[in-house]
Amino acid sequence: MSDPFELPDPDEPDFTRAPAPRAGGIAARARAAMGQPRYLEVLNPEQRAAVEAVDGPVLVLAGAGTGKTRVLTTRIAHTIATGRARAHEILSVTFTNKAAREMKERIGALAGEVAEGMPWLGTFHSIGTKILRRHAELVGLKSNFTILDMDDQIRLLKQVLQAENVDEKRWPARQLSILIDGWKNRGLEPERVPAGEAEAFGNGKGRRLYAFYQERLKALNAADFGDLLLEGLRLLRDNPDVLAEYQRRFRYILVDEYQDTNTVQYLWLRLLAQASPDRPQRNICCVGDDDQAIYGWRGADVDNILRFDKDFPGATVIRLERNYRSTGHILAAASHLIAHNEGRLGKTLFTDGVDGEKPTVQGVWDSEEETRVVGEDIEQLQRRGQSLEDVAILVRATFQMREFEERFVTLGVPYRVIGGPKFYERAEIRDALAYMRCVAQPTDDLAFERIFNTPKRGLGDAALQLMHEHSRRERIPLMLAARALSETEELKPKQRQCVRALMADFDRWSSLIDVKPHNELAEMVLEESGYTDMWQKDRSADAAGRLENLKELVRSMEQFPDLASFLEHISLVMERDTDSGEQKVSIMTLHAAKGLEFDTVYLPGWEEGLFPHQRALDEQGRAGLEEERRLAYVGVTRARKQAKIYFATNRRIRGMWQTTIPSRFLDELPADHVDVVEAASASYGGYAASRFNSIDSFASTYNTPGWQRAQQRNAATGARSGATSGFGASQRRSGPQTIEGELVAKASATSSFQTGARVFHVKFGNGSIVGVEGNKLTVDFDKAGRKMVLESFVQKAG
DNA sequence: TGCCTCTCTCTTTTT
DNA sequence: GAGAGAGGCA
């Protein structure tokens, strides 16, 4: 664990002189080997050029799977080995903690102990925090400021809205938080927000609300995520001496995923990278791929990468196009698809590897069939001995995940969902953290507000109101106000007693901070406050899991030297723990998949409206479409050996069945490199039925023999396509009459099972039926709890 | 305080 | 159509 405050100061009188090599350090070793360091030998010519172009501005356009991380890490090692800079003189920023961790590990493998001394390798936010804490007073904070999560942020905004008499129903705090985040991402302080935008919220009060919120943050000695960047920028902009200090310190700057930088991040980097008297060379190296820019919707600006050479004239641009991940057909498909985008810097991936199998496109009747077909396919892979770790399902939207989960539960295929609520976002974790925050910092009003009545202590809104009033009147933190109130007659006697007891508890816990190991203290706080008890008494299904999470939290505290550093990390870094060693299929969104790779990738839901998503088109127009297309590109390029694309003819959207049109992206795949799968099931015909019947179907440019065969088949069999479907006709809005007829017959068919009957399931054991819906049964299993299972998977119990 | 009902939303999400 | 959040009522 490195601390910026204890770093050796890099400000030596003579900067041009190479630092003295540390005995046994990478520099020494590299020089000893001289000439041809091993780490350079393993690179291809372009990678090597990217590593060796150390001085001056460099843009590395690294296509998917071209060894980007290798280049970044080798570059760092090389910069150090050639004596250009020491580890603490290199600023290296990433977007996610995962990326930062990975880089640290790989530098460690490459350069041994040097990586330990890379204090400035981290996410934009963590580095921003580090700098901000050092100079907090310059932006009106104290160095121990708290970092608010979204929950806190919204609660605070609610208070702001109330104080300003804005109708919370018309102008929800959530929406305001999104607005403010957006402004902060664009580097806009309240006074700089364009008038029109600011007035659009809260009857023209947008700017005032934003400004007031910032005031409240300062009063609470708190910063939200956006502030970590925006205040960091303001700090550098308004304090030339501070800026100069960091410009001097960071002799080399590296940026990962440059295409995802937003405006504040861009401005911040540009300030730091500016030429200065101490450092005439602007040694900044940005690595990215404009084709993988998929975060425009949260403020990332692809233009940052597109105009790099204008920001840094004379920049060296290096393209990495040799792909080491995917087969030829997969690359060809992805390249052809992304070529439909305009405004690219342009790259063409190639591989020396095999052509491999062509990506497949398969039409299915509905989402149910989609999950079934994918599920069966995965079982087949499994039988052939492929590890499920190498299999992923990448969806556009999270609602698609649930159906796959249900299917896998039915089939008994182990899976994991990546993404979803983070460990520290769970209510019980936040509550526990709030307790610890109160113990560590009695001035943390938001934390206190969160837990003062959790577990229930008979202190409600009225009590909170009183405390707030008192706190404002006396200008003291909430907890002190509570303490003061407990000595007056204002609270009911019972409440007074409660508050007094709680304060006594906090006093006791706080006094133990330096005495007791912090994980033991945490356990004690959770016990004595009655919090653990609350969940033990809770009879809901997830209570046990929550208790388990709390234990996990306490366990994880051991890795940190003290409570303060634990709290610092939890808000910025903590992630959900990886699970057991069992091999599992991964289910995640396309966004979450960036940077990952799998042998086999399933890409379901390629339909107009879902992918590309209608809202992206409506709200962002052409830019939205191009971002969706990049998302498709990201999806396909995740596959090493096999990419399987699906589209359903019918999908339930907002509870209503809708006939859908295959995604335009399908037509943008090169016919020569894609196989259209003719499903064994007759329901494939459903696709053509929808396409030919659909009102605004667009012209297909598809001409492969397989495609034409499929269409001919549809002409013949399309009419009975609904036979395999299990959903009710009444829910359908349009479609061929015959299909409706068959569906009615199917839907009205009664199950041979009845509510109350006892059944047996191979995986879940015995249980009682509590509901019947078509061929699906809801069963309360004696051991496994309530599950929905297909009728065909259970037997009547003896 | 807690429960019930009404209303609203329903893309992606890191820090 | 489902789930969350807010508001009303006992």
Side-chain angles (χ1 to χ4, degrees), chain A residues 275-400:
Chain A
S276 69
D278 293 318
R279 189 196 51 188
Q281 281 266 40
R282 292 152 311 157
N283 298 319
I284 181 166
C285 172
C286 295
V287 182
D289 180 0
D290 50 318
D291 291 335
Q292 292 186 68
I294 54 175
Y295 285 110
W297 52 272
R298 66 175 200 215
D301 189 355
V302 211
D303 283 348
N304 291 346
I305 195 167
L306 298 180
R307 60 154 190 258
F308 186 83
D309 54 348
K310 293 194 188 70
D311 288 324
F312 300 98
T316 312
V317 178
I318 295 167
R319 287 182 160 76
L320 303 182
E321 299 173 302
R322 182 184 300 263
N323 177 290
Y324 294 98
R325 178 188 297 157
S326 310
T327 62
H329 283 311
I330 292 173
L331 283 187
S335 301
H336 198 270
L337 173 71
I338 197 67
H340 289 79
N341 270 5
E342 287 170 8
R344 301 172 59 214
L345 291 171
K347 271 183 284 60
T348 312
L349 296 184
F350 66 94
T351 176
D352 292 339
V354 295
D355 280 348
E357 284 176 70
K358 292 180 182 176
T360 61
V361 174
Q362 180 172 350
V364 290
W365 174 249
D366 61 7
S367 50
E368 196 205 315
E369 183 176 335
E370 187 176 58
T371 58
R372 196 178 67 236
V373 169
V374 170
E376 283 164 5
D377 209 84
I378 288 174
E379 286 188 311
Q380 219 166 62
L381 289 178
Q382 211 175 1
R383 276 195 291 276
R384 272 191 257 136
Q386 182 168 355
S387 162
L388 295 183
E389 287 295 307
D390 296 326
V391 178
I393 295 169
L394 310 182
V395 298
R396 176 63 184 83
T398 45
F399 74 79
Q400 293 171 267

Side-chain angles (χ1 to χ4, degrees), chain A residues 7 10 15 26 54 72-93 103-104 107 114-115 117-122 127 130 246-255 279 283-285:
Chain A
L7 283 180
F15 245 72
I26 179 108
V54 186
L72 268 171
T73 50
T74 310
R75 215 183 131 92
I76 291 173
H78 188 65
T79 306
I80 298 170
T82 52
R84 283 178 168 85
R86 286 167 292 176
H88 61 267
E89 293 167 331
I90 300 173
L91 169 67
S92 181
V93 274
M103 271 182 65
K104 272 198 175 149
I107 296 170
V114 167
M118 295 255 343
W120 300 104
L121 191 167
I127 287 170
K130 220 175 217 181
Y246 286 98
Q247 285 178 335
R248 223 177 301 132
R249 178 183 295 254
F250 301 139
R251 309 182 68 191
Y252 290 85
I253 300 177
L254 285 99
V255 189
R279 189 196 51 188
N283 298 319
I284 181 166
C285 172

Side-chain angles (χ1 to χ4, degrees), chain A residues 472-733:
Chain A
R472 233 165 302 155
R473 205 165 45 233
E474 305 288 323
R475 300 180 170 276
I476 52 173
L478 214 49
M479 227 198 291
L480 277 181
R483 193 181 295 265
L485 277 178
S486 71
E487 303 300 326
T488 69
E489 301 290 307
E490 285 178 78
L491 288 168
K492 291 184 207 138
K494 217 174 171 185
Q495 294 183 323
R496 215 180 305 153
Q497 202 39 53
C498 266
V499 174
R500 270 192 209 154
L502 189 61
M503 291 305 134
D505 282 340
F506 273 114
D507 287 343
R508 186 157 29 82
W509 298 327
S510 296
S511 71
L512 291 172
I513 284 186
D514 297 319
V515 184
K516 230 175 157 56
H518 55 289
N519 54 335
E520 286 176 30
L521 177 61
E523 214 171 347
M524 180 177 167
V525 170
L526 294 177
E527 272 311 315
E528 295 184 1
S529 63
Y531 191 74
T532 322
D533 227 37
M534 177 182 101
W535 287 116
Q536 259 148 12
K537 287 192 187 118
D538 191 299
R539 290 174 42 80
S540 64
D542 49 358
R546 290 177 194 271
L547 285 165
E548 196 43 54
N549 288 338
L550 288 170
K551 274 196 200 132
E552 180 66 42
L553 180 77
V554 171
R555 232 175 295 146
S556 74
M557 291 176 79
E558 286 172 27
Q559 315 162 31
F560 298 91
D562 52 55
L563 189 57
S565 65
F566 168 73
L567 290 172
E568 167 86 15
H569 274 250
I570 197 91
S571 49
L572 285 174
V573 180
M574 180 103 176
E575 280 170 47
R576 184 151 53 161
D577 244 39
T578 43
D579 43 16
S580 65
E582 197 191 0
Q583 295 192 345
K584 292 172 179 168
V585 176
S586 300
I587 305 176
M588 68 188 95
T589 62
L590 287 159
H591 284 90
K594 192 162 77 155
L596 305 177
E597 55 181 79
F598 303 88
D599 282 349
T600 307
V601 167
Y602 293 88
L603 299 160
W606 283 41
E607 298 128 37
E608 285 293 303
L610 176 59
F611 193 35
H613 200 279
Q614 195 57 46
R615 246 176 98 169
L617 303 183
D618 291 347
E619 288 169 14
Q620 307 288 326
R622 179 164 191 96
L625 173 64
E626 296 212 339
E627 185 155 311
E628 295 286 298
R629 193 178 279 119
R630 291 193 289 268
L631 206 45
Y633 173 78
V634 167
V636 175
T637 53
R638 296 311 96 194
R640 285 192 284 249
K641 296 182 182 152
Q642 180 75 113
K644 299 187 169 203
I645 304 171
Y646 301 83
F647 62 90
T649 305
N650 298 280
R651 191 171 293 276
R652 193 151 64 170
I653 294 164
R654 286 178 209 164
M656 249 187 318
W657 283 100
Q658 301 205 308
T659 304
T660 54
I661 301 170
S663 170
R664 69 190 76 188
F665 298 150
L666 293 173
D667 289 333
E668 294 171 359
L669 295 169
D672 300 348
H673 296 283
V674 175
D675 274 334
V676 175
V677 175
E678 298 170 45
S681 124
S683 63
Y684 175 54
Y687 157 59
S690 88
R691 179 168 245 190
F692 297 137
N693 290 337
S694 118
I695 310 141
D696 55 353
S697 156
F698 56 92
S700 168
T701 54
Y702 239 104
N703 280 314
T704 61
W707 190 261
Q708 283 166 352
R709 274 201 309 280
Q711 292 188 339
Q712 278 157 17
R713 266 181 80 251
N714 293 329
T717 61
R720 43 162 269 93
S721 59
T724 53
S725 172
F727 64 75
S730 57
Q731 291 167 303
R732 248 191 116 202
R733 297 215 299 195

Side-chain angles (χ1 to χ4, degrees), chain A residues 41 149 153 211 217 230-231 379 425 614 646 679:
Chain A
E41 281 169 19
D149 58 26
Q153 193 188 3
L217 284 174
L230 183 54
E231 295 290 12
E379 286 188 311
E425 282 168 1
Q614 195 57 46
Y646 301 83

